[in-house]
Amino acid sequence: MTTAATVRLQRKGWGSSGSRRSRLWKVVIDGNVVGSIHNKEIAELPVTPGRHSLEVRSMRHLVSPEVPFEVTERQILGFSCHPRSLSPIILPRWIVWLLATLIKNDLWIDLRPTTPARSSGVPTSMAHQQGDVKGDPTGAQREPSNAGSDMRTRAFADARAWGDTRAEPALVVNHLTKRFGERIAFSEVSFEVGHGEVFGFLGPNGAGKTTTVRTLGTLIAPTSGSATVAGIPLSPENGMEIRRRISVMPESPGLYLRLTITENLEFFAGLYGLQKVGDRVKDALEAVNLADRASDLCGGLSKGLRQRVGLARALLSDPTVMFLDEPTSGLDPVAAFEVHDLINGLREKGTTIFLTTHRLDEAEKLCDRVAILNTTLRTVGRPEELRAELFKRALIVKTHAPLSDADQVFKGIPSVNDWSSEGPGSYVLSVSDPEVAAPEVARSLVGSGADVLFIGEAQHSLEDVYLELIDQEAAANPR
Amino acid sequence: MRSLDTTRIRAVIRKELRDYRRNRFIFLTMTIMPFLFLALPMIDVFLIKPSASSAMLDKRLGAALLYMLLIPVLVPATLAAYSVVGEKEQGTLEPLLTTPIRRQDFILGKAAAVMIPALAIAYTVFGLFLATVWLFANPIVASAIFHQGPVLLTQVLFTPLLAGWAIWVGMAVSARANDVRVAQQLSTFASFPPIGLVALISLNVINPSFMLAVVLAGGLLAVDVLALRLVSSLFDPERLVTGMKAVRS
Ligand SMILES: Nc1ncnc2c1ncn2[C@@H]1O[C@H](COP(=O)(O)OP(=O)(O)O)[C@@H](O)[C@H]1O
Ligand SMILES: [Mg+2]
């Protein structure tokens, strides 16, 4: 790993500084999505030495040209990307998006190298600009920038990429197990969460998510295993010290219904022993857009608003690690969207968030990395990574009529490793590179006289990964 | 015992008092109950015939005063039971227990928040009783009451001690109970033994003496202090949080 090179990509905005609504852009290296980048962020991506290509895509079909590059060991290459200067003042963004969708070319995002190739250890010009991005031989320096800088570097938290120079992770969990008598809530769970990371803990009901949060939140003692929370070993004696540095938003927000929003927050500010309680409460309420409801009684609030008060409460003490237990469960889509927005805002501020959910879309939308739990930890990784890991790449082929001799057609194509039929005229081909295979398949099919309806790469959502894992589990432990 | 964290204790007290003020059930408990327990002794005092023998007079007045000692038992028992079960019902224990407050400070804050209104109510009612008797009762009856110096002193002294006992019992019971009513009934029953002892003294079954009162008061004080430890140990977060869950689901 120490010989890896690094691509350092900076995203410049439309000027609206750090807008929390800014959409994530996907960073694509060699055709694979390897990460995502927010407005005004710098992403550092480890790459193997050699030739690669870099591309940036927005969720809304804005794409950049594909830029080829070559790196040597330990080299750090700088790139910057930004939307083309179609000012949103003249053209509203939705028109830009509409045009992009219609025209769909690479006009819309500018991507270019910022630095000539440099050897490692020498700060890049970008690092100079930022002042907080240190030239680091391993490219593993991933501390969020200090508040003084508008830009920040977000950890693309890939456990393997964490170098030794990195500060201790926000959470380290080792073989943690909790049993309630005979019943196992979770077993042998191990993972790490980096500072500034939004870590998704995904699992069906009863998977042990809440119990994990309670254990890490010092409410209940693990049966075995160990953990470090916010840098402090989890033990009964360290409970107070850990609680000073974390905040937990439980599954049900737990507000005093006869107190106002402000009174609720004031009480908790008191419990955290905070100074300047008034200011803290005001800031927290502004962060969740509740300043105008400050004197409403909590008993009269909707579920979505209560959840927001819960978030404000979790923010009060400026915690090192925030635990959010199913923050959107039971909310309607609009309220859930607002909560997602707030969480994205927190991510931009660099708060480490441990978020449990049973909703895949939520994990995929909000989290840098996801762990899938069903009593035992099934897997940990970036959502895209999980998808790639779990599924071989495949082409889906549909023909008008079933092929008379499918085996002969497909076996004759060198880039097709294997095939199976999913019904009449529907085939799944296992391939190593869909882009090479697709034209070959098309040619062969046409050559054999078939009417081709569709050829495309199989797309897997996180949902597929999830179901696949849960299925594997069910097969392994039939109940 | 480590030093107290007054900032956090004060935060708890302030919040509890706010909550009581706005809780209709608690507010009614704090207003109606004292009047009930003031009315009966008052009626009794006004019905006593001044011609009764002095022994008889003492006995009836003793009973009336004793009756008023129910206030510092029943009011705090109810409040204390609510103060824990109310948190459970609103699901606030879980966020609360993840903040850096020591269990002991949390419990002391809660106890103080019960003690303050309980004492205020008990002493107000007692004062009201004495004032009414002094102003309106038959002078013979009135002077009989005001001659019972030690009894009045006992009343003043035992009010906080009994309240303390009732608070600990109420909190201990409700730490384990999940229903306000069950908690209140149990804690009310459980807080009667000391009042029984006081009753035996007042009714001259046990010969009252200054020594006895001092011993009894000292005993209660010791129990109240020890109870803080005991109740703290009952406030096991794991049990509070997961026990509640088990009942709910
Ligand atoms: N207090 C408890 N006593 C016994 N079993 C429990 C308790 N709390 C949770 N469990 C069990 O532990 C498992 C995990 O529960 P939980 O952590 O609440 O799951 P999740 O939050 O993922 O839905 C479940 O099987 C549940 O029944
Ligand atoms: Mg749960």
Side-chain angles (χ1 to χ4, degrees):
Chain A
M1 262 302 136
T2 51
T3 58
T6 303
V7 166
R8 184 177 280 153
L9 176 66
Q10 178 180 16
R11 173 171 163 192
K12 295 172 181 169
W14 251 319
S16 56
S17 74
S19 156
R20 98 157 64 116
R21 285 177 186 277
S22 79
R23 297 276 163 179
L24 274 177
W25 286 359
K26 286 182 176 159
V27 183
V28 180
I29 292 182
D30 300 333
N32 297 318
V33 178
V34 293
S36 52
I37 186 167
H38 264 289
N39 204 359
K40 313 235 161 187
E41 263 186 349
I42 295 170
E44 289 185 340
L45 305 146
V47 289
T48 53
R51 277 175 192 282
H52 298 280
S53 69
L54 176 69
E55 194 191 3
V56 180
R57 295 180 196 153
S58 94
M59 304 291 182
R60 306 259 182 159
H61 309 294
L62 304 176
V63 293
S64 75
E66 206 173 359
V67 177
F69 63 92
E70 188 169 4
V71 280
T72 54
E73 282 185 3
R74 299 183 185 207
Q75 192 184 19
I76 301 172
L77 268 187
F79 289 90
S80 85
C81 59
H82 62 86
R84 293 257 191 212
S85 58
L86 274 174
S87 158
I89 301 161
I90 303 165
L91 271 183
R93 274 182 213 187
W94 67 268
I95 293 186
V96 176
W97 286 330
L98 193 69
L99 287 175
T101 315
L102 290 175
I103 302 172
K104 226 175 183 176
N105 61 9
D106 57 12
L107 265 181
W108 306 97
I109 296 178
D110 192 5
L111 172 70
R112 60 179 63 170
T114 50
T115 46
R118 264 168 207 272
S119 62
S120 66
V122 182
T124 62
S125 63
M126 214 161 68
H128 269 303
Q129 278 168 26
Q130 300 316 316
D132 55 12
V133 181
K134 295 187 192 74
D136 178 326
T138 60
Q141 186 76 32
R142 299 179 200 286
E143 287 299 302
S145 71
N146 50 35
S149 166
D150 198 12
M151 296 278 189
R152 64 185 204 85
T153 306
R154 182 146 58 85
F156 273 84
D158 177 347
R160 285 163 300 168
W162 286 349
D164 297 335
T165 53
R166 211 180 169 287
E168 200 171 340
L171 274 177
V172 183
V173 176
N174 269 320
H175 300 288
L176 208 63
T177 300
K178 176 65 187 180
R179 251 182 262 123
F180 292 106
E182 288 293 288
R183 169 165 255 159
I184 299 172
F186 59 84
S187 174
E188 291 286 319
V189 170
S190 305
F191 59 86
E192 290 190 5
V193 178
H195 284 280
E197 195 178 4
V198 178
F199 188 81
F201 214 53
L202 185 61
N205 289 331
K209 304 182 294 294
T210 298
T211 310
T212 308
V213 167
R214 285 175 173 169
T215 306
L216 296 177
T218 74
L219 283 178
I220 61 185
T223 311
S224 64
S226 65
T228 307
V229 181
I232 301 169
L234 185 66
S235 72
E237 310 80 63
N238 291 344
M240 276 290 275
E241 210 38 59
I242 291 175
R243 287 196 289 273
R244 265 184 237 285
R245 296 165 193 227
I246 62 169
S247 70
V248 181
M249 183 168 114
E251 228 165 332
S252 66
L255 305 173
Y256 295 97
L257 303 180
R258 280 177 288 270
L259 302 191
T260 66
I261 294 179
T262 306
E263 287 165 349
N264 264 283
L265 295 186
E266 274 172 4
F267 173 49
F268 277 86
L271 294 183
Y272 278 103
L274 301 178
Q275 306 292 312
K276 297 191 184 160
V277 168
D279 293 348
R280 293 278 198 145
V281 170
K282 208 169 128 255
D283 291 349
L285 284 178
E286 270 164 16
V288 301
N289 304 322
L290 273 179
D292 53 334
R293 312 277 309 245
S295 50
D296 287 15
L297 287 182
C298 286
L301 299 179
S302 69
K303 204 162 180 214
L305 289 184
R306 285 186 195 182
Q307 212 73 13
R308 279 208 250 164
V309 179
L311 262 180
R313 181 178 63 196
L315 284 172
L316 270 179
S317 59
D318 209 358
T320 311
V321 187
M322 250 171 92
F323 294 89
L324 308 178
D325 195 2
E326 308 224 6
T328 59
S329 76
L331 298 191
D332 65 62
V334 175
F337 181 82
E338 283 168 357
V339 170
H340 288 168
D341 226 30
L342 293 171
I343 293 170
N344 263 326
L346 293 179
R347 167 225 293 284
E348 302 219 332
K349 277 178 28 192
T351 312
T352 307
I353 298 177
F354 183 90
L355 175 124
T356 80
T357 178
H358 63 268
R359 288 181 47 185
L360 306 148
D361 57 321
E362 185 166 285
E364 197 157 22
K365 183 172 164 192
L366 298 176
C367 302
D368 296 319
R369 280 193 311 142
V370 175
I372 297 182
L373 178 85
N374 198 3
T375 309
T376 54
L377 204 61
R378 306 301 306 162
T379 185
V380 186
R382 288 201 296 270
E384 318 85 49
E385 215 173 63
L386 293 186
R387 245 180 270 146
E389 233 168 60
L390 216 77
F391 295 100
K392 292 192 208 87
R393 306 191 74 182
L395 278 183
I396 292 176
V397 173
K398 293 205 163 97
T399 54
H400 189 258
L403 297 174
S404 52
D405 193 356
D407 200 48
Q408 200 191 338
V409 175
F410 294 133
K411 281 275 161 68
I413 308 169
S415 53
V416 174
N417 304 331
D418 199 5
W419 71 278
S420 62
S421 174
E422 291 214 317
S426 175
Y427 307 91
V428 178
L429 314 185
S430 138
V431 299
S432 32
D433 188 349
E435 273 161 40
V436 173
E440 288 182 4
V441 171
R443 272 196 295 276
S444 304
L445 286 170
V446 172
S448 71
D451 293 331
V452 181
L453 294 179
F454 177 83
I455 297 181
E457 189 179 351
Q459 294 288 329
H460 295 290
S461 66
L462 194 56
E463 186 160 0
D464 299 325
V465 179
Y466 182 75
L467 293 175
E468 181 91 348
L469 285 170
I470 303 301
D471 268 355
Q472 281 176 9
E473 170 123 330
N477 321 301
R479 268 173 239 197
Chain B
M1 209 182 280
R2 286 160 300 178
S3 66
L4 300 178
D5 183 339
T6 49
T7 327
R8 290 186 171 90
I9 293 178
R10 249 184 291 140
V12 174
I13 296 176
R14 191 174 325 122
K15 173 234 129 196
E16 293 281 304
L17 292 180
R18 267 181 183 152
D19 200 33
Y20 293 157
R21 266 206 317 270
R22 296 182 197 161
N23 184 330
R24 189 182 306 160
F25 170 69
I26 292 299
F27 194 80
L28 288 180
T29 305
M30 291 203 289
T31 48
I32 291 178
M33 211 192 261
F35 276 102
L36 279 181
F37 289 94
L38 174 63
L40 278 171
M42 208 84 107
I43 291 168
D44 202 38
V45 166
F46 281 95
L47 288 182
I48 297 175
K49 294 197 178 66
S51 55
S53 72
S54 91
M56 184 63 192
L57 208 59
D58 279 358
K59 205 162 198 162
R60 302 236 346 226
L61 288 175
L65 290 174
L66 177 69
Y67 199 66
M68 261 187 293
L69 269 187
L70 285 177
I71 294 171
V73 173
L74 295 180
V75 170
T78 310
L79 290 190
Y82 166 78
S83 85
V84 179
V85 179
E87 301 260 5
K88 287 188 183 181
E89 285 193 337
Q90 298 180 84
T92 43
L93 274 178
E94 192 168 345
L96 199 144
L97 292 169
T98 56
T99 65
I101 182 171
R102 287 197 311 243
R103 255 190 268 176
Q104 167 200 315
D105 293 333
F106 169 58
I107 288 163
L108 265 179
K110 275 200 169 290
V114 177
M115 186 63 103
I116 293 165
L119 286 190
I121 291 169
Y123 285 139
T124 307
V125 166
F126 189 47
L128 223 58
F129 174 78
L130 291 185
T132 316
V133 168
W134 190 39
L135 291 174
F136 304 111
N138 185 302
I140 295 176
V141 177
S143 72
I145 285 188
F146 287 98
H147 273 126
Q148 303 206 341
V151 174
L152 296 185
L153 193 67
T154 310
Q155 192 97 10
V156 170
L157 193 72
F158 273 89
T159 294
L161 293 176
L162 287 174
W165 167 267
I167 288 170
W168 293 136
V169 169
M171 287 178 72
V173 168
S174 57
R176 293 295 172 93
N178 288 289
D179 180 290
V180 186
R181 263 150 244 281
V182 171
Q184 274 160 353
Q185 279 156 16
L186 276 177
S187 59
T188 309
F189 280 125
S191 45
F192 273 112
I195 218 167
L197 205 58
V198 178
L200 294 180
I201 298 166
S202 296
L203 301 175
N204 282 333
V205 178
I206 298 176
N207 228 1
S209 71
F210 183 65
M211 235 4 244
L212 184 67
V214 167
V215 168
L216 192 55
L220 260 180
L221 189 66
V223 168
D224 282 351
V225 171
L226 280 179
L228 172 61
R229 292 288 178 84
L230 190 77
V231 173
S232 292
S233 71
L234 287 181
F235 267 71
D236 171 31
E238 177 153 351
R239 177 164 218 129
L240 285 175
V241 170
T242 60
M244 179 174 56
K245 189 186 151 99
V247 163
R248 291 212 155 180
S249 57

